[in-house]
Amino acid sequence: MRRVKRALPLVAAVLALGVPLSGCGNESGARGGDDVSAGASSGVGSGRQEEQGREKEQEKGKGKGKGEDQEMDMQEAAERADAMLDAVLKGIDPDVRWAHGPTTTRACGVTRRRAVMTVVSPERRQTFLDRAETFWRKNDYRIKAVNKDDTFPAVYAVTRSGFGVSVSFRGKGQAFLEADTPCVKESKVAAPASEPNGPAYEGVYPLPRPDVRSDFWSGEGEGEGEGEGEGE
């Protein structure tokens, strides 16, 4: 009985010391592990968030460049369309007489028009289109379609910013140029500011048929070189 009584206090002492020690070891190990994993995940997570934030800012920066045309209003777009028509007419040599056609507006876009008042003979119509197409290609326009019809040929092009432009032959062999704007902010649209190189025909619609003759464009020569000689 005495041995049992002596053993009991020893076991109780060992248990009393061992349980807290093992418990502390487990808690510190578990918490330590939790702290490490939480710190690692927290670091990775914050890094990813920062990276995603930078990517979003970069996307915003890219978007600003692409959205410049979207900030344009209808008047500004119409002015750009006028400049495009002025440029292609200057690129057609010998020059032709032209007048403004009607301006039309739609929900968010504008169409500007020019009518050629120089007589372009059937033999010269394809040459006229070829020179417009050559000018557009040199200026990074994309040729969208070409109509090789003998009577009503046409060529259509588009810019990177979404402006469409065309030259087409219609009734009585008259050439027409059109420029369509992309969808832009709604605004009032003024009449074109550029001056035609002939009669303005203000308030006249429909416009007269071509009545100006050109040694080159109205000629019937078979070769382009021969026609240029006549024009000179």
Side-chain angles (χ1 to χ4, degrees), residues 92-98 116-125 127-128 131 197 210-221 224 226-232:
I92 295 174
D93 182 51
D95 61 350
V96 294
R97 188 76 59 82
W98 62 269
V116 174
M117 307 309 294
T118 298
V119 176
V120 181
S121 66
E123 293 81 6
R124 298 295 188 199
R125 290 173 190 170
T127 300
F128 190 92
R131 294 190 178 176
N197 59 358
D211 58 359
V212 178
R213 297 199 65 82
S214 161
D215 290 342
F216 176 71
W217 293 116
S218 308
E220 299 178 355
E224 190 170 322
E226 180 183 348
E228 288 179 351
E230 291 176 7
E232 294 173 357

Side-chain angles (χ1 to χ4, degrees), residues 121-140:
S121 66
E123 293 81 6
R124 298 295 188 199
R125 290 173 190 170
Q126 190 57 54
T127 300
F128 190 92
L129 296 177
D130 288 345
R131 294 190 178 176
E133 181 178 345
T134 298
F135 172 82
W136 288 331
R137 289 187 184 279
K138 285 182 178 179
N139 288 275
D140 294 328

Side-chain angles (χ1 to χ4, degrees), residues 73-158:
D73 63 26
M74 293 171 73
Q75 175 60 36
E76 293 168 329
E79 291 171 0
R80 183 178 293 189
D82 290 334
M84 290 168 56
L85 294 177
D86 287 338
V88 69
L89 281 166
K90 288 178 182 178
I92 295 174
D93 182 51
D95 61 350
V96 294
R97 188 76 59 82
W98 62 269
H100 286 293
T103 294
T104 55
T105 59
R106 49 192 187 278
C108 60
V110 184
T111 299
R112 293 291 211 197
R113 296 178 175 84
R114 307 277 175 94
V116 174
M117 307 309 294
T118 298
V119 176
V120 181
S121 66
E123 293 81 6
R124 298 295 188 199
R125 290 173 190 170
Q126 190 57 54
T127 300
F128 190 92
L129 296 177
D130 288 345
R131 294 190 178 176
E133 181 178 345
T134 298
F135 172 82
W136 288 331
R137 289 187 184 279
K138 285 182 178 179
N139 288 275
D140 294 328
Y141 288 63
R142 179 173 64 85
I143 303 304
K144 191 174 180 180
V146 176
N147 182 354
K148 295 285 189 179
D149 187 85
D150 292 336
T151 308
F152 304 117
V155 59
Y156 305 86
V158 65

